[in-house]
Amino acid sequence: MRVLIAGFGTVGQGIAEVIGMRQNLFSSEFGQKVEIIGAFDSSSFAGNPRGLDPAELVSQKKTSGKVGVKRADDMVKLIGELDYDALIETTPTNVVDSEPGLTYITTALNAGKNVITSNKGPLALKFRELCRTAEKNDVQLRYEASVGGAMPIINLSRELLRGEQIYSLRGILNGTCNFILNRMKDEGLPFEQALREAQELGYAERDPTYDIDGVDSAAKLAILANAIFGMNVTYHDVTRTGIRNISEEAIAMASEQNKVIRLIGEISGNKLEVSPRLVPSGHPLSIGGTLNIVQLITDLAGEVTVAGRGAGRMETASAMLSDIIAILTDEQAKCR
Ligand code: HSE
């Protein structure tokens, strides 16, 4: 399988490393290598039809700030014309017009390539159009990494729980907010300081208002509504309140009642909402740190809860690896 990596920040570098680390698995399970035939960031491009060394790409990026030496001229043209099997799209989320990711993904799908993306913007705004484009071109669009990093909620719900009726979903979808709320409660830190710490950990979005105003959670909730509940919504359809106005006093009052405040996303019936809620201490949704968690209510299995790290270099790469493996498995099944 030949892949082209679009975007070579934390996530792009992480998946390149993991592709390098898992070559033995690809060979033993699928009888083939996964080769990176190209990678680009916002200013440069590295390409070789015979495959690039992932470690060299990461080292080149670390030392020079660029993944390649060639100028990144017309990436859309390259995405449409290069010879590869899957685009791995890891450009930053933009919920205004979802570019450049939207054009990259659409171009690849229309060129008959599978797409694996971690980018929430295009999926939170144009989910159905993208699915239709993938279907029309008989290729896969996979996006496990777009919600909850290493918390495997999408593939779990769509594949392993396919026989279930899933009635509703509630969960914590933003690690930055969870970290802030937790630090405010446990250490009595003021909001601004807790936010600064979250930014230093590298969890916050490039624009942290996406986190604290619930935009990131709403985008993820819209993706889950489309992917798991078959809805046709955008993040604008989510009723949203962030955590900007949660005071130290409110957190202390919750503590007195043995409760914590958490930013909860909920899908039930027609309700699509992200808002701060009181959760009893010890309840699964009172989970701390930067963890994400989702609880599904299903007809046969009852309550299914899945938690995991919501962001991070290797964690997000782990989700993208599961999508690479799903595509390889699908191709293997077609060959039998
Ligand atoms: N800013 C996000 C979070 C990163 O804090 O959860 C993962 O989407």
Side-chain angles (χ1 to χ4, degrees):
M1 181 187 206
R2 286 150 303 159
V3 300
L4 171 64
I5 303 181
F8 214 68
T10 307
V11 179
Q13 291 172 55
I15 187 59
E17 280 177 351
V18 166
I19 287 173
M21 285 159 64
R22 289 292 188 268
Q23 287 302 337
N24 286 344
L25 172 84
F26 300 138
S27 300
S28 65
E29 294 289 317
F30 302 102
Q32 60 174 296
K33 285 183 178 170
V34 173
E35 280 174 334
I36 302 171
I37 60 92
F40 64 84
D41 54 26
S42 55
S43 63
S44 70
F45 171 70
N48 185 339
R50 288 184 303 282
L52 295 154
D53 180 345
E56 271 174 30
L57 286 174
V58 172
S59 147
Q60 157 83 14
K61 177 78 182 181
K62 273 199 185 116
T63 49
S64 69
K66 294 179 178 188
V67 65
V69 285
K70 296 175 202 156
R71 264 190 46 154
D73 277 333
D74 192 347
M75 285 309 133
V76 178
K77 195 160 177 267
L78 280 181
I79 290 171
E81 290 177 358
L82 282 175
D83 184 17
Y84 62 98
D85 304 296
L87 178 73
I88 297 185
E89 200 277 319
T90 71
T91 63
T93 291
N94 160 0
V95 290
V96 179
D97 62 8
S98 34
E99 294 296 357
L102 179 62
T103 301
Y104 292 168
I105 294 172
T106 308
T107 305
L109 294 174
N110 280 325
K113 318 295 186 190
N114 299 300
V115 172
I116 295 167
T117 183
S118 58
N119 190 344
K120 288 158 276 193
L123 299 163
L125 288 170
K126 303 277 178 188
F127 190 90
R128 286 287 151 227
E129 289 94 315
L130 289 171
C131 290
R132 273 197 294 271
T133 307
E135 218 168 278
K136 189 182 78 190
N137 291 289
D138 196 21
V139 288
Q140 293 199 44
L141 169 64
R142 301 198 65 103
Y143 44 87
E144 180 64 60
S146 65
V147 178
M151 174 185 67
I153 184 65
I154 294 172
N155 294 340
L156 173 84
S157 309
R158 288 173 58 93
E159 289 160 24
L160 300 182
L161 299 179
R162 201 167 173 179
E164 298 281 332
Q165 267 199 52
I166 302 178
Y167 298 129
S168 65
L169 173 158
R170 279 189 311 165
I172 295 172
L173 301 170
N174 183 272
T176 301
C177 288
N178 217 47
F179 178 84
I180 293 172
L181 293 170
N182 219 41
R183 292 290 281 161
M184 286 174 77
K185 174 185 174 289
D186 287 354
E187 309 297 329
L189 290 188
F191 183 90
E192 290 302 333
Q193 192 179 334
L195 170 60
R196 266 198 306 280
E197 282 189 9
Q199 286 177 293
E200 279 159 22
L201 280 178
Y203 266 70
E205 296 296 300
R206 197 173 280 185
D207 174 356
T209 62
Y210 273 24
D211 295 294
I212 61 181
D213 291 334
V215 174
D216 177 73
S217 297
K220 290 169 179 165
L221 199 75
I223 296 170
L224 294 179
N226 292 324
I228 301 176
F229 294 84
M231 294 184 183
N232 181 12
V233 295
T234 76
Y235 97 96
H236 297 294
D237 297 310
V238 179
T239 308
R240 166 172 65 85
T241 311
I243 63 163
R244 196 186 276 275
N245 297 322
I246 302 289
S247 64
E248 290 153 57
E249 291 72 30
I251 288 182
M253 272 173 63
S255 271
E256 280 164 23
Q257 299 169 33
N258 206 21
K259 289 181 178 159
V260 293
I261 300 179
R262 292 288 178 258
L263 186 67
I264 303 291
E266 179 172 355
I267 304 170
S268 78
N270 289 329
K271 181 179 190 179
L272 279 177
E273 185 178 306
V274 168
S275 58
R277 307 228 188 132
L278 283 170
V279 177
S281 298
H283 186 279
L285 295 183
S286 72
I287 203 163
T290 51
L291 287 172
N292 283 194
I293 186 164
V294 166
Q295 283 196 315
L296 301 169
I297 307 297
T298 73
D299 63 339
L300 305 177
E303 195 172 282
V304 176
T305 304
V306 53
R309 295 197 192 139
R313 184 184 181 101
M314 285 298 128
E315 291 82 352
T316 309
S318 140
M320 299 195 106
L321 173 67
S322 75
D323 284 340
I324 291 176
I325 288 175
I327 292 173
L328 289 169
T329 306
D330 191 52
E331 280 169 8
Q332 193 178 47
K334 277 183 192 159
C335 292
R336 279 195 179 134

